[in-house]
């Protein structure tokens, strides 16, 4: 392989990216060295097993990926703004919509939600950490390394260009030659390991680590939604693992699962992909539902309406999520009976979702509503998500779907559910729990500007796309003719897209502004909250979370204590020594070996792939022989940290 | 966390520490994920089983003798693995290691015959690139074989730890978890025996 094949060349945009990557790397290295931060970075972050720090790292990574995926989106919108534009060529456009989709789902939405779950769920259930803190670090680092492997594709070797769904035979060696598609396969595979481990970790955490008195039906709704999400992950992700392995074998080892030769079956890939892919949709929406439930209840000053109905509807959604995958390819030609069955199951999912919408509305009914920014995002969610849901039911009708299939109508539909659902929730949750993570709120006034600019921009961007779709504009085209008449609406859509971009920039500015100027919280209860995470005396919980594990007597325990004026004060005699897990650098090193292995496989350099895997197994063996029972935090240290006066 | 727990004397050693209990539960859940993984491979295999292109049919090359030897070795190894855990419960380190070593020997024997069989198929003109059906066969059965290989290394590592540290709540939980893994592979093999070999031969020979 020659150097000009190894590095992507010839495009000024890519050269610009090369320069900015190198400058950023140099800047970071310079900063770390000049201010002697290397040890701090290693001790506090790279080796940490603290769920709160891992959660923050997940969220930071997700925001970075949102930037990357957002830039992709704006490039696409710029190209489509006018007919027959020459800003991007077709190959470049294909690469950009592929990386946009993959990054936004796998490396933005999921880690953002998993990050918030990491920070919040152990606190909500009154636990000192997750069930497997070490494994949690492995989860984060495999996700991070998978994301990095996928992201370097656009400067080294070339990006995948077969769409985030990577249908065969388009993704085969014949039609997608080069390493691009391999980046997709290996990047997702490595990140998927982390996701599966997160699923097991948090399922056991929620089942086994709850504070005394917190029965399953006394758990906060966000914890419930996380529990259901983890179950979906555990059964859905192995399907993706297998599908990716099979396509990797097709591309690297000449097997014939999805190929046109050897009687392979291209649509088998589509089936396996969506057997994982549809549950995946619910993996990224259920935690969002959970967050909105917490926020709406908190800012309506009322217990969540229909608590049990919420839970049962989530369980129903989880079950249904495995029974609807064929609706992604009604046009495959499975026949009227199969299509009808999947059409009905798809519409049926609308019922439990509708139940949830009404529960949120009734929670607000006669509540004392406070219009904080997290609440604004939640209200915006209800309105916009319903638009996405209704068009989803339209798409669910198999006969009608022949008209909508692969048009901008579909594109608009899934952006209405994924942005108004997941992204709004990520923003709402980030703002809501920000004081828990950093000890101060994000500025509310700037936050409201962000909300309005983003929400209006979102509708300006995607509402026209419904009409473009109905007018026949197919998705994934890099340009269109003047005569099609799609020009004006596309221009409107592009304007909306850039409004969302501006809102994102203001959001990032708000993070900086609030870091500098926000009033620091003095108590742990920034929003007059209802659940246990707000009950820690200090604004940010200490690394052991709770000096004394609370006893829970009912739903919204902390709120009821406050109402009754019976919030317990910590007493020195209640403090016992606390057992905590030790930090470990092994997860980071293991993930680095995964990177070596993945990179080798991407370029079909088997020696490098094997060397990397030997490294991975080496770290596994090292860990197996390491007997580290953690350590105890002494009573004195706890008293010191909690500032209890004797 | 709480290390000063009191126990019913009948509580097995591996369940006496909180870490042990959590790890065992977590591993059961991991096996749930493994079931999803193998279910996907079985489904793929079954969809592709008749898509043989120009290659031989699957049942054409299957041989009863090799199949029965492999099955006998692996099923017996599950039994000896059970005996090993039984010895562990009796606090008999020597018995545990002996029976586990026999288990590993049987596992190695299984792998030997499986590899021989694969080489035979390849010699007869059926490899992973011959047809969709053979791709499905090699990846499904090969994934099981890779699991057995991993298990042999894993059990060996755990046995070294038992030999060095004796039976503690930590080491016994590790032994118990590897035994769950080993039995699981046995269960998967029963499905491979039925869905791949028996059905393949019945379909072919009628």
């Amino acid at each position: 392989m020659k150097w000009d094949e190894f590095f992507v060349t010839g495009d000024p945009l890519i050269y610009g990216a090369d320069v900015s990557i190198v400058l950023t790397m140099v800047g970071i290295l310079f900063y770390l060295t000049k201010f002697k931060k290397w040890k701090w970075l290693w001790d506090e972050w790279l080796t940490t097993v603290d769920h709160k720090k891992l959660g923050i790292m997940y969220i930071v990574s997700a925001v970075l990926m949102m930037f990357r995926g957002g830039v992709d989106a704006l490039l696409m919108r710029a190209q489509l703004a006018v007919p027959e534009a020459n800003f991007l060529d077709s190959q470049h456009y294909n690469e950009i919509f592929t990386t946009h989709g993959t990054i936004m789902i796998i490396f933005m939405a999921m880690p953002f939600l998993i990050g918030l779950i990491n920070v919040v769920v152990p606190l909500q259930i009154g636990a000192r950490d997750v069930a497997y803190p070490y494994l949690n670090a492995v989860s984060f680092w495999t996700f991070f390394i998978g994301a990095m492997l996928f992201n370097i594709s656009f400067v080294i070797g070339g990006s995948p260009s077969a769409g985030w769904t990577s249908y065969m035979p388009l993704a085969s060696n014949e039609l997608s030659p080069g390493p691009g598609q391999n980046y997709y396969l290996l990047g997702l595979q490595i990140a998927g390991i982390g996701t599966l481990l997160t699923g097991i970790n948090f399922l056991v955490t929620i089942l086994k680590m709850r504070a005394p008195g917190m029965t399953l039906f006394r758990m906060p709704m966000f914890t419930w939604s996380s529990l259901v999400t983890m179950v979906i992950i555990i059964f859905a992700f192995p399907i993706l693992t297998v599908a990716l392995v099979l396509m990797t074998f097709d591309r690297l080892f000449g097997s014939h699962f999805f190929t046109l030769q050897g009687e392979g079956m291209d649509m088998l890939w589509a089936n396996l992909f969506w057997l994982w892919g549809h549950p995946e949709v619910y993996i990224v929406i259920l935690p969002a539902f959970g967050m909105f439930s917490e926020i709406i209840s908190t800012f309506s000053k009322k217990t969540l309406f229909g608590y049990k109905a919420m839970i049962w509807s989530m369980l129903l959604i989880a079950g249904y999520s495995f029974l609807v995958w064929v609706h992604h390819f009604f046009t495959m030609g499975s026949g009227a009976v199969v299509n009808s069955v999947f059409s009905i199951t798809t519409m049926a999912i609308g019922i439990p979702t509708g139940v949830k919408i009404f529960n949120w509305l009734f929670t607000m009914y006669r509540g004392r509503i406070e219009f904080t920014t997290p609440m604004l995002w939640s209200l915006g969610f209800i309105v916009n998500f319903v638009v996405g849901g209704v068009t989803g039911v339209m798409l669910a009708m198999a006969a009608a779907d022949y008209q909508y299939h692969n048009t901008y109508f579909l594109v608009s539909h899934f952006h209405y559910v994924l942005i108004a659902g997941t992204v709004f929730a990520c923003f709402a949750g980030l703002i809501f729990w920000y004081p828990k993570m950093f000890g101060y709120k994000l500025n509310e006034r700037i936050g409201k500007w962000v909300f309005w600019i983003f929400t209006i921009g979102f509708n300006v961007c995607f509402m026209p796309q419904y009409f473009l779709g109905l007018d026949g504009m197919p998705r994934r085209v890099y340009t269109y003719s003047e005569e099609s008449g799609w020009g004006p609406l596309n221009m409107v859509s592009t304007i909306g897209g850039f409004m969302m971009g501006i809102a994102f920039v203001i959001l990032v500015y708000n993070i900086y502004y609030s870091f500098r100027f926000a009033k620091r919280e003095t108590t742990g209860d920034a929003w007059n909250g209802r659940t246990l995470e707000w009950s820690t005396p200090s604004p940010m919980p200490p690394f052991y979370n709770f000096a004394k594990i609370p006893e829970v007597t009912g739903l919204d325990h902390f709120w009821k204590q406050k109402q009754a004026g019976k919030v317990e004060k910590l007493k020195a005699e209640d403090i016992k020594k606390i057992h905590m897990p030790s930090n470990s650098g092994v997860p980071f090193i293991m993930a680095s070996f995964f990177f070596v292995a993945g990179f080798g496989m991407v370029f079909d350099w088997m020696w490098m792939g094997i060397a990397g895997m030997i490294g991975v197994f080496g770290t596994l063996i090292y860990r197996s022989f390491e007997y580290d029972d953690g350590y105890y935090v002494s009573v004195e240290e706890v008293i010191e940290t909690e500032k209890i006066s004797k | 966390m709480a290390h000063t727990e009191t126990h019913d004397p009948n509580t097995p050693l591996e369940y006496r520490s909180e870490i042990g209990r959590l790890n065992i539960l977590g591993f059961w859940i991991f096996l749930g994920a493994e079931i999803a993984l193998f279910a996907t491979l079985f489904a793929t295999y079954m969809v592709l089983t008749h898509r043989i292109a120009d290659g031989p049919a699957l049942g054409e090359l299957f041989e009863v003798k090799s199949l029965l030897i492999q099955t006998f070795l692996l099923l017996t190894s599950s039994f000896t693995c059970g005996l090993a855990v039984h010895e562990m419960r009796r606090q008999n380190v020597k018995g545990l290691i002996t029976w586990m070593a026999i288990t590993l020997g049987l596992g190695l024997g299984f792998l030997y015959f499986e590899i021989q069989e694969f080489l035979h198929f390849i010699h007869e003109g059926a490899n992973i690139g011959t047809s969709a059906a053979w791709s499905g066969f090699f990846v499904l059965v090969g994934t099981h074989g890779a699991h057995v290989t991993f298990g042999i290394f894993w059990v060996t590592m755990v046995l070294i730890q038992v030999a060095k540290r004796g039976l503690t709540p930590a080491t016994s939980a590790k032994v118990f978890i590897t035994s769950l893994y080993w039995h699981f592979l046995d269960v998967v093999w029963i499905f491979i025996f039925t869905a791949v070999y028996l059905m393949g031969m019945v379909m072919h020979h009628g």
Side-chain angles (χ1 to χ4, degrees):
Chain A
M1 179 175 274
K2 296 197 200 77
W3 282 111
D4 62 336
E5 286 168 22
F6 186 69
F7 290 109
V8 179
T9 53
D11 190 316
L13 284 171
I14 302 278
Y15 290 135
D18 287 336
V19 172
S20 59
I21 289 171
V22 171
L23 286 179
T24 313
M25 296 290 268
V26 170
I28 292 171
L29 295 179
F30 178 76
Y31 174 83
L32 289 171
T33 312
K34 176 147 194 255
F35 294 97
K36 300 194 169 55
K37 292 281 189 186
W38 283 104
K39 191 170 157 40
W40 166 82
L41 183 70
W42 179 258
D43 289 346
E44 296 288 320
W45 297 98
L46 300 188
T47 61
T48 188
V49 295
D50 182 339
H51 67 96
K52 300 180 288 298
K53 286 185 174 170
L54 289 167
I56 289 170
M57 288 196 286
Y58 265 116
I59 294 168
V60 170
S61 316
V63 172
L64 286 175
M65 289 296 110
M66 188 186 270
F67 173 74
R68 161 82 211 266
V71 170
D72 284 347
L74 294 184
L75 288 173
M76 282 190 282
R77 280 319 319 165
Q79 164 67 18
L80 291 177
V82 291
E84 283 154 48
N86 289 316
F87 176 54
L88 302 172
D89 61 34
S90 63
Q91 174 62 23
H92 200 170
Y93 187 87
N94 292 350
E95 291 177 8
I96 287 176
F97 73 65
T98 302
T99 53
H100 168 74
T102 313
I103 286 175
M104 284 303 202
I105 296 282
I106 307 281
F107 301 128
M108 190 285 286
M110 285 223 299
F112 213 132
L113 297 168
I114 289 177
L116 287 164
I117 289 171
N118 255 287
V119 172
V120 176
V121 165
L123 291 168
Q124 278 198 331
I125 61 174
R128 290 205 165 116
D129 208 319
V130 295
Y132 317 112
Y134 172 88
L135 206 60
N136 207 13
V138 175
S139 285
F140 171 74
W141 287 111
T142 47
F143 143 69
F144 184 78
I145 284 298
M148 290 303 108
L149 183 64
F150 185 84
N151 269 277
I152 59 164
S153 65
F154 83 113
V155 289
I156 297 177
S159 300
S161 59
W164 91 283
T165 51
S166 286
Y167 275 12
M168 287 292 256
L170 179 59
S172 65
N173 279 332
E174 292 74 27
L175 297 173
S176 297
Q181 184 60 25
N182 299 346
Y183 272 116
Y184 171 94
L185 296 168
L186 275 303
L188 263 63
Q189 189 68 279
I190 294 171
I193 297 168
T195 311
L196 178 62
L197 295 179
T198 298
I200 296 170
N201 203 344
F202 275 85
L203 181 59
V204 176
T205 301
I206 295 171
L207 289 178
K208 287 288 166 190
M209 311 283 282
R210 299 192 308 276
M214 184 178 278
T215 56
L216 283 176
F217 280 88
R218 284 178 186 170
M219 294 197 311
M221 194 49 62
F222 182 49
T223 300
W224 253 112
S225 69
S226 304
L227 174 76
V228 179
T229 305
M230 297 309 150
V231 175
I232 304 180
I233 286 178
I234 289 163
F235 290 105
F237 263 77
I239 306 175
L240 177 70
T241 305
V242 170
L244 292 172
V245 165
L246 301 186
M247 195 195 278
T248 309
F249 272 56
D250 273 5
R251 287 183 60 91
L252 298 183
F253 307 125
S255 61
H256 291 299
F257 289 101
F258 313 123
T259 57
L260 297 178
Q261 310 84 8
E263 285 201 62
M265 214 177 180
D266 47 1
M267 281 311 285
L268 179 61
W269 164 265
N271 277 277
L272 291 179
F273 181 85
W274 286 112
L275 254 168
W276 159 79
H278 204 86
E280 166 70 13
V281 172
Y282 289 89
I283 292 169
V284 295
I285 202 65
L286 288 182
F289 288 173
M291 285 188 236
F292 290 129
S293 301
E294 302 289 358
I295 291 168
I296 290 173
S297 164
T298 302
F299 295 116
S300 304
K301 305 272 186 300
K302 277 178 67 192
T303 300
L304 191 66
F305 184 90
Y307 175 83
K308 285 199 176 167
M310 283 294 210
I311 293 166
W312 288 113
S313 56
M314 272 197 300
L315 292 168
L316 263 180
I317 291 173
Y320 276 134
S321 75
F322 283 91
L323 301 173
V324 299
W325 80 95
V326 173
H327 73 213
H328 293 272
F329 38 85
F330 279 142
T331 51
M332 178 173 82
S334 321
V337 176
V338 172
N339 277 2
S340 303
V341 169
F342 282 92
S343 190
I344 290 166
T345 53
T346 305
M347 288 188 228
I349 278 202
I351 298 169
T353 314
V355 168
K356 298 182 78 70
I357 299 274
F358 281 107
N359 281 339
W360 288 313
L361 295 177
F362 286 128
T363 304
M364 286 187 281
Y365 178 66
R366 304 187 73 173
R368 279 173 290 135
I369 297 177
E370 249 185 290
F371 290 97
T372 58
T373 29
M375 187 63 174
L376 283 180
W377 285 110
S378 308
L379 295 171
F381 150 76
I382 294 179
V383 177
N384 291 293
F385 187 82
V386 166
V387 176
V390 169
T391 49
V393 177
M394 289 171 71
L395 283 158
M397 297 182 284
D401 182 66
Y402 275 73
Q403 179 67 22
Y404 314 131
H405 186 76
N406 271 357
T407 67
Y408 263 82
F409 188 84
L410 169 76
V411 173
S412 188
H413 155 70
F414 68 68
H415 282 90
Y416 260 89
V417 282
L418 283 170
I419 294 182
T422 308
V423 176
F424 279 27
C426 291
F427 290 157
L430 179 68
I431 300 164
F432 186 57
W433 283 295
Y434 206 82
K436 224 4 61 176
M437 290 185 263
F438 300 105
Y440 55 90
K441 287 183 192 171
L442 288 174
N443 183 285
E444 284 279 285
R445 201 167 52 85
I446 304 177
K448 283 174 187 169
W449 276 101
V450 174
F451 167 76
W452 286 109
I453 298 174
F454 192 93
T455 308
I456 293 170
F458 164 68
N459 278 285
V460 172
C461 182
F462 290 103
M463 190 56 83
Q465 293 185 8
Y466 280 127
F467 297 95
L468 283 169
L470 291 176
D471 205 17
M473 181 171 170
R475 68 194 290 205
R476 291 172 175 166
V477 289
Y478 83 107
T479 195
Y480 51 90
S481 69
E482 181 97 53
E483 297 79 59
S484 64
W486 299 329
L489 282 178
N490 268 300
M491 179 54 90
V492 173
S493 180
T494 299
I495 293 168
F498 277 87
M499 285 174 74
M500 292 161 77
I502 291 167
F504 178 78
V505 172
I506 303 176
L507 177 89
V508 174
Y509 170 73
N510 196 10
I511 290 173
Y512 167 76
Y513 179 89
S514 307
F515 167 69
R516 289 291 302 276
F517 302 115
K519 185 169 75 64
R520 267 46 186 174
E521 294 292 325
T522 49
T523 70
D525 191 13
W527 302 102
N528 198 3
R530 312 178 71 83
T531 40
L532 284 181
E533 75 269 32
W534 305 108
S535 71
T536 57
S538 53
M540 287 176 287
F543 61 98
Y544 50 78
N545 292 353
F546 297 95
K548 182 181 171 231
I549 299 288
E551 284 236 14
V552 179
T553 51
L555 198 58
D556 290 339
H557 172 76
F558 181 55
W559 171 261
K560 283 175 191 153
Q561 272 191 320
K562 284 194 286 186
Q563 293 305 93
K566 282 198 286 196
V567 181
E568 277 180 75
K569 283 214 89 170
L570 265 179
K571 288 191 249 45
E573 60 264 29
D574 290 340
I575 308 289
K576 295 193 183 76
K577 63 179 181 174
I578 296 171
H579 182 251
M580 292 302 290
S582 314
N583 283 0
S584 171
V586 181
F588 177 73
I589 296 167
M590 184 197 292
S592 305
F593 281 120
F594 265 120
F595 187 88
V596 175
F599 194 81
M601 303 255 297
V602 164
F603 285 93
D604 209 355
W605 299 336
M606 280 309 141
W607 58 270
M608 192 172 169
I610 292 167
M613 285 319 290
I614 289 173
V616 171
F617 284 110
T619 50
L620 280 175
I621 293 169
Y622 175 85
R623 172 65 182 176
S624 180
F625 279 85
E626 185 185 46
Y627 278 71
D628 185 341
D629 294 330
Y631 64 98
Y632 281 95
V633 186
S634 68
V635 175
E636 292 72 36
E637 193 185 334
V638 177
I639 290 177
E640 175 82 12
T641 315
E642 301 285 337
K643 299 189 185 66
I644 302 171
S645 47
K646 288 188 187 171
Chain B
M1 314 276 147
H3 283 281
T4 49
E5 299 171 73
T6 48
H7 292 284
D8 184 318
N10 291 323
T11 306
L13 195 56
E14 65 269 21
Y15 282 98
R16 288 200 188 168
S17 71
E18 183 173 11
I19 294 277
R21 288 194 296 272
L22 285 176
N23 288 357
I24 292 167
L25 175 64
F27 195 77
W28 274 111
I29 295 170
F30 174 74
L31 288 183
E34 284 270 56
I35 289 172
L37 185 136
F38 275 103
T40 313
L41 285 170
F42 273 106
T44 303
Y45 170 79
M46 286 178 188
V47 166
L48 299 176
T49 180
H50 296 298
R51 302 172 79 95
I52 55 175
D54 308 325
L58 294 166
E60 200 177 308
L61 300 187
F62 290 162
E63 278 177 9
V64 179
K65 189 176 147 206
S66 163
L67 171 66
L68 287 182
I69 294 172
Q70 288 177 56
T71 307
F72 174 77
L73 288 173
L74 201 66
L75 295 199
T76 313
S77 83
S78 211
F79 177 65
T80 57
C81 181
L83 290 178
V85 171
H86 178 71
E87 291 301 326
M88 180 174 86
R89 295 263 164 83
R90 294 179 17 171
Q91 300 286 322
N92 180 356
V93 178
K94 214 175 144 210
L96 161 66
I97 292 179
T98 310
W99 283 114
M100 267 303 190
I102 293 171
T103 306
L104 292 181
L106 292 164
L108 280 171
F110 166 83
L111 274 184
Y112 172 80
F113 282 98
E114 180 159 76
I115 292 167
Q116 286 298 319
E117 188 194 38
F118 278 19
L119 290 176
H120 170 70
F121 291 157
I122 291 167
H123 183 72
E124 295 286 319
N127 59 45
I128 194 168
T130 303
S131 63
W134 281 104
S135 298
F137 170 84
F138 278 108
V139 172
L140 167 59
V141 183
T143 302
H144 175 267
H147 273 73
V148 174
T149 313
F150 180 83
I152 288 172
F153 281 105
W154 188 17
V155 173
T156 310
M157 297 296 154
V158 170
L159 286 186
I160 293 171
Q161 292 168 35
V162 172
K164 269 166 63 178
R165 294 167 178 274
L167 280 178
T168 66
T171 54
S172 60
K174 288 187 180 194
V175 172
F176 187 70
I177 287 170
T178 54
S179 80
L180 291 179
Y181 181 78
W182 199 265
H183 292 310
F184 171 74
L185 294 182
D186 206 40
V187 175
V188 173
W189 181 257
I190 291 169
F191 281 89
I192 290 180
F193 177 85
T194 316
V196 177
Y197 288 96
L198 277 190
M199 278 173 63
M201 285 190 273
V202 169
M203 296 289 184
H204 186 69
H205 299 292

